[in-house]
Amino acid sequence: MRAQIVSSVLRTAARPSVVARGARAVPFAARASSSHAEETFESFTERYVNFFKTAEDLFEVQRGLNNCFAHDLVPAPSVVEAAVRAARRVNDYATAVRVFEGVKEKVENKSQYEAYLQELKPLREELGLTLKEELYTSS
Protein backbone atom coordinates (compact mmCIF):
# COMPACT_ATOMS: atom_id res chain seq x y z
CA MET A 1 0.00 0.00 0.00
CA ARG A 2 2.76 2.40 0.99
CA ALA A 3 4.70 1.57 -2.16
CA GLN A 4 1.61 2.36 -4.26
CA ILE A 5 1.22 5.74 -2.55
CA VAL A 6 4.89 6.59 -3.03
CA SER A 7 4.71 5.46 -6.66
CA SER A 8 1.61 7.60 -7.23
CA VAL A 9 3.24 10.64 -5.64
CA LEU A 10 6.40 10.19 -7.71
CA ARG A 11 4.41 9.82 -10.93
CA THR A 12 2.45 12.97 -10.13
CA ALA A 13 5.63 14.84 -9.29
CA ALA A 14 7.23 13.74 -12.56
CA ARG A 15 4.38 15.10 -14.71
CA PRO A 16 4.88 18.58 -16.08
CA SER A 17 2.59 20.97 -14.33
CA VAL A 18 0.30 23.33 -16.17
CA VAL A 19 1.34 26.91 -15.51
CA ALA A 20 -1.04 29.75 -16.23
CA ARG A 21 0.09 32.42 -18.66
CA GLY A 22 1.96 35.21 -16.97
CA ALA A 23 2.63 33.14 -13.87
CA ARG A 24 6.24 32.52 -12.98
CA ALA A 25 7.57 29.17 -11.88
CA VAL A 26 8.75 29.12 -8.30
CA PRO A 27 12.18 27.51 -7.96
CA PHE A 28 12.17 24.20 -6.08
CA ALA A 29 14.42 24.15 -3.04
CA ALA A 30 16.12 20.83 -2.32
CA ARG A 31 18.33 19.82 0.54
CA ALA A 32 21.87 18.98 -0.38
CA SER A 33 22.41 16.59 2.51
CA SER A 34 20.50 14.53 4.98
CA SER A 35 20.70 14.68 8.74
CA HIS A 36 20.63 10.87 8.89
CA ALA A 37 23.91 9.08 9.53
CA GLU A 38 24.89 6.37 7.10
CA GLU A 39 24.30 2.90 8.50
CA THR A 40 27.24 0.51 8.76
CA PHE A 41 27.03 -3.04 7.47
CA GLU A 42 27.30 -4.37 11.02
CA SER A 43 24.40 -2.25 12.28
CA PHE A 44 22.37 -3.19 9.18
CA THR A 45 23.02 -6.87 9.90
CA GLU A 46 22.13 -6.53 13.57
CA ARG A 47 18.96 -4.59 12.79
CA TYR A 48 17.63 -7.18 10.35
CA VAL A 49 18.64 -10.19 12.46
CA ASN A 50 16.71 -8.68 15.38
CA PHE A 51 13.79 -7.82 13.09
CA PHE A 52 13.45 -11.35 11.75
CA LYS A 53 13.81 -12.86 15.23
CA THR A 54 10.78 -10.87 16.38
CA ALA A 55 8.64 -11.15 13.22
CA GLU A 56 5.31 -12.68 14.21
CA ASP A 57 3.49 -13.23 10.94
CA LEU A 58 4.05 -13.73 7.23
CA PHE A 59 3.34 -10.10 6.38
CA GLU A 60 6.14 -8.92 8.69
CA VAL A 61 8.59 -11.47 7.31
CA GLN A 62 7.85 -10.53 3.70
CA ARG A 63 7.96 -6.81 4.49
CA GLY A 64 11.34 -7.28 6.18
CA LEU A 65 12.65 -9.24 3.21
CA ASN A 66 11.43 -6.58 0.80
CA ASN A 67 13.13 -3.85 2.80
CA CYS A 68 16.30 -5.85 3.37
CA PHE A 69 16.79 -6.79 -0.28
CA ALA A 70 15.99 -3.24 -1.43
CA HIS A 71 19.37 -2.05 -0.14
CA ASP A 72 22.38 -1.99 -2.41
CA LEU A 73 24.19 -4.81 -0.65
CA VAL A 74 24.01 -8.53 -0.12
CA PRO A 75 22.74 -9.40 3.36
CA ALA A 76 25.11 -11.27 5.65
CA PRO A 77 24.58 -15.01 6.12
CA SER A 78 23.30 -14.33 9.64
CA VAL A 79 20.51 -12.16 8.18
CA VAL A 80 19.65 -14.84 5.62
CA GLU A 81 19.57 -17.45 8.38
CA ALA A 82 17.30 -15.30 10.56
CA ALA A 83 15.00 -14.63 7.59
CA VAL A 84 14.73 -18.32 6.68
CA ARG A 85 14.06 -19.29 10.29
CA ALA A 86 11.37 -16.60 10.50
CA ALA A 87 9.72 -17.86 7.31
CA ARG A 88 9.66 -21.41 8.66
CA ARG A 89 8.44 -20.17 12.06
CA VAL A 90 5.39 -18.62 10.39
CA ASN A 91 5.05 -21.87 8.40
CA ASP A 92 5.74 -20.50 4.92
CA TYR A 93 8.00 -22.86 3.01
CA ALA A 94 7.79 -20.89 -0.26
CA THR A 95 9.12 -17.70 1.33
CA ALA A 96 11.98 -19.64 2.91
CA VAL A 97 12.97 -20.95 -0.53
CA ARG A 98 12.59 -17.49 -2.07
CA VAL A 99 15.06 -16.01 0.40
CA PHE A 100 17.74 -18.01 -1.40
CA GLU A 101 16.42 -16.78 -4.76
CA GLY A 102 16.84 -13.22 -3.47
CA VAL A 103 20.41 -13.93 -2.44
CA LYS A 104 21.11 -15.41 -5.88
CA GLU A 105 19.90 -12.20 -7.52
CA LYS A 106 21.90 -9.94 -5.19
CA VAL A 107 25.32 -11.60 -5.43
CA GLU A 108 27.78 -10.55 -8.13
CA ASN A 109 28.72 -14.01 -9.37
CA LYS A 110 27.95 -17.71 -9.04
CA SER A 111 30.88 -18.41 -6.71
CA GLN A 112 29.51 -15.98 -4.12
CA TYR A 113 26.14 -17.72 -4.28
CA GLU A 114 27.84 -21.09 -3.87
CA ALA A 115 29.66 -19.73 -0.80
CA TYR A 116 26.32 -18.70 0.74
CA LEU A 117 24.84 -22.11 -0.03
CA GLN A 118 27.84 -23.87 1.50
CA GLU A 119 27.72 -21.77 4.66
CA LEU A 120 23.95 -22.20 5.04
CA LYS A 121 23.84 -25.90 4.11
CA PRO A 122 23.43 -27.06 7.74
CA LEU A 123 20.46 -24.69 8.12
CA ARG A 124 18.85 -25.98 4.92
CA GLU A 125 19.29 -29.57 6.09
CA GLU A 126 17.94 -28.76 9.56
CA LEU A 127 14.80 -27.09 8.17
CA GLY A 128 14.38 -29.45 5.24
CA LEU A 129 14.65 -26.76 2.55
CA THR A 130 15.08 -27.63 -1.09
CA LEU A 131 16.30 -24.88 -3.38
CA LYS A 132 14.47 -23.82 -6.51
CA GLU A 133 17.30 -25.26 -8.61
CA GLU A 134 16.80 -28.62 -6.91
CA LEU A 135 13.00 -28.48 -7.14
CA TYR A 136 12.83 -27.56 -10.82
CA THR A 137 15.70 -29.11 -12.69
CA SER A 138 15.68 -28.31 -16.39
CA SER A 139 15.80 -31.42 -18.57
Side-chain angles (χ1 to χ4, degrees):
M1 173 85 166
R2 183 174 182 222
Q4 291 173 341
I5 294 171
V6 170
S7 176
S8 175
V9 169
L10 291 176
R11 267 194 312 254
T12 304
R15 293 182 188 145
S17 60
V18 178
V19 179
R21 289 186 185 184
R24 288 185 281 150
V26 178
F28 179 73
R31 290 187 153 192
S33 65
S34 175
S35 61
H36 299 288
E38 194 165 314
E39 186 176 35
T40 65
F41 184 74
E42 290 76 21
S43 64
F44 172 87
T45 299
E46 182 181 349
R47 178 167 59 107
Y48 277 101
V49 167
N50 291 335
F51 176 85
F52 287 121
K53 284 183 178 179
T54 60
E56 295 181 5
D57 61 5
L58 180 60
F59 175 78
E60 281 188 70
V61 173
Q62 290 177 340
R63 180 176 58 110
L65 285 168
N66 190 29
N67 292 338
C68 180
F69 282 106
H71 291 275
D72 191 23
L73 53 82
V74 183
S78 59
V79 174
V80 175
E81 179 180 355
V84 169
R85 287 189 185 279
R88 294 301 286 145
R89 187 175 57 248
V90 299
N91 200 24
D92 190 31
Y93 186 85
T95 298
V97 172
R98 287 186 184 111
V99 170
F100 286 96
E101 290 180 53
V103 170
K104 187 175 184 178
E105 290 297 317
K106 293 295 281 187
V107 295
E108 292 180 4
N109 54 49
K110 190 173 181 176
S111 64
Q112 286 179 340
Y113 180 61
E114 294 296 328
Y116 269 86
L117 293 182
Q118 193 64 30
E119 185 165 342
L120 297 168
K121 186 174 183 174
L123 172 72
R124 290 180 31 231
E125 290 173 351
E126 175 189 340
L127 299 177
L129 285 179
T130 307
L131 299 175
K132 180 183 173 186
E133 301 90 49
E134 299 165 349
L135 288 170
Y136 302 104
T137 56
S138 57
S139 306

